[in-house]
Amino acid sequence: MSRRSGILEFAVLGLLRESPMHGYELRKRLNTSLGVFRAFSYGTLYPCLKTLVANGWLIEEPGNTHEDALAAPLAGRRAKIVYRLTAEGKEHFEELLSQTGPDAYEDEHFAARFAFFGQTSRDVRMRVLEGRRSRLEERLEKMRASLGRTRERLDDYTLELQRHGMESVEREVRWLNELIESERAGRDLKGSASGETAQRNTTSGATGGLPRPGGTPGTDTPDDTAM
């Protein structure tokens, strides 16, 4: 399994833990709530769903809303398939949530993991946040060393680009410090000063476009009656 497909499976299981959905709803949530999946298509989601069904982690059910019941005969199409998390799928997702290895705090996977921190135990959140901070501090040290060696050979624009990259990493480290401090103090992130910082970072910065708490989903256009 590739790293990206593993992240997608994790996110799908997490969203379906909240409520059953059909493929269109899932794609919309993945696109609007988890920025790391903005570029993916139905051609990526559909095989993922089939794999999760084959593993026994999801089941397929016919759509049972009034709109679904009317849409199929009127348009000559099949009713939408709704995907529901099984007990085995819930157990598997909880196992994934408990993992704190390097994949949990690498760039793309950290964004997806953070999106489901509300379903994650405090000790696991701490280990993931501290792992992420350690990884970024290592990256920042290398960036500073590289800039020190090459500064005299860089033109102004390349130098400014490297400075911008360093500032982005420094900003995320500060944000992580605030989150870790809140976790250690046992404070609820919602409504705190660090919570406001977290909201800014998760919507437009360090973690790659995570959901804004209570945010309004964006719009999407395609219909997927086969999913």
Side-chain angles (χ1 to χ4, degrees), residues 85-209:
L85 197 65
T86 64
E88 293 80 6
K90 182 178 180 181
E91 182 178 347
H92 179 62
F93 179 67
E94 289 173 352
E95 290 176 1
L96 295 176
L97 277 181
S98 69
Q99 295 178 3
T100 58
D103 276 353
Y105 45 80
E106 293 295 347
D107 290 346
E108 285 192 345
H109 209 159
F110 175 73
R113 284 300 300 270
F114 190 89
F116 295 100
F117 262 22
Q119 304 179 42
T120 307
S121 64
R122 187 181 300 276
D123 62 320
V124 171
R125 294 198 301 264
M126 280 291 295
R127 288 197 292 272
V128 173
L129 290 171
E130 289 174 341
R132 176 67 175 172
R133 181 176 63 179
S134 177
R135 181 58 51 88
L136 289 182
E137 287 174 341
E138 292 174 3
R139 184 182 301 172
L140 191 57
E141 185 66 25
K142 291 178 181 178
M143 293 173 74
R144 287 169 175 161
S146 175
L147 185 60
R149 291 192 303 269
T150 61
R151 181 188 299 271
E152 299 302 324
R153 300 195 299 271
L154 299 178
D155 62 57
D156 290 343
Y157 293 100
T158 304
L159 184 61
E160 190 61 30
L161 184 62
Q162 292 207 10
R163 286 175 176 162
H164 174 69
M166 287 178 54
E167 289 172 358
S168 297
V169 177
E170 289 170 343
R171 186 163 55 248
E172 185 172 352
V173 169
R174 291 194 298 271
W175 172 64
L176 289 166
N177 286 335
E178 293 178 2
L179 292 175
I180 290 169
E181 181 182 349
S182 293
E183 292 288 346
R184 285 178 176 163
R187 293 196 298 269
D188 185 358
L189 188 63
K190 185 177 181 180
S192 67
S194 61
E196 295 172 2
T197 306
Q199 182 169 322
R200 289 194 297 271
N201 279 281
T202 54
T203 53
S204 61
T207 58

Side-chain angles (χ1 to χ4, degrees), residues 4-115:
R4 186 165 179 80
S5 64
I7 299 170
L8 179 57
E9 290 185 7
F10 171 83
V12 167
L13 291 172
L15 290 175
L16 290 176
R17 190 186 185 192
E18 299 173 2
S19 65
M21 302 181 203
H22 54 66
Y24 171 65
E25 290 174 312
L26 270 170
R27 183 172 184 259
K28 187 174 182 180
R29 288 289 304 278
L30 288 164
N31 278 335
T32 59
S33 297
L34 299 174
V36 68
F37 297 110
R38 284 175 183 152
F40 93 108
S41 65
Y42 287 119
T44 303
L45 177 60
Y46 190 67
C48 172
L49 290 169
K50 289 301 182 184
T51 297
L52 295 175
V53 170
N55 288 340
W57 297 329
L58 302 181
I59 57 173
E60 298 176 330
E61 299 175 338
N64 56 7
T65 67
H66 181 64
E67 290 182 2
D68 285 341
L70 291 176
L74 289 176
R77 300 178 299 188
R78 290 183 298 161
K80 293 177 180 177
I81 296 171
V82 172
Y83 295 89
R84 182 184 299 274
L85 197 65
T86 64
E88 293 80 6
K90 182 178 180 181
E91 182 178 347
H92 179 62
F93 179 67
E94 289 173 352
E95 290 176 1
L96 295 176
L97 277 181
S98 69
Q99 295 178 3
T100 58
D103 276 353
Y105 45 80
E106 293 295 347
D107 290 346
E108 285 192 345
H109 209 159
F110 175 73
R113 284 300 300 270
F114 190 89

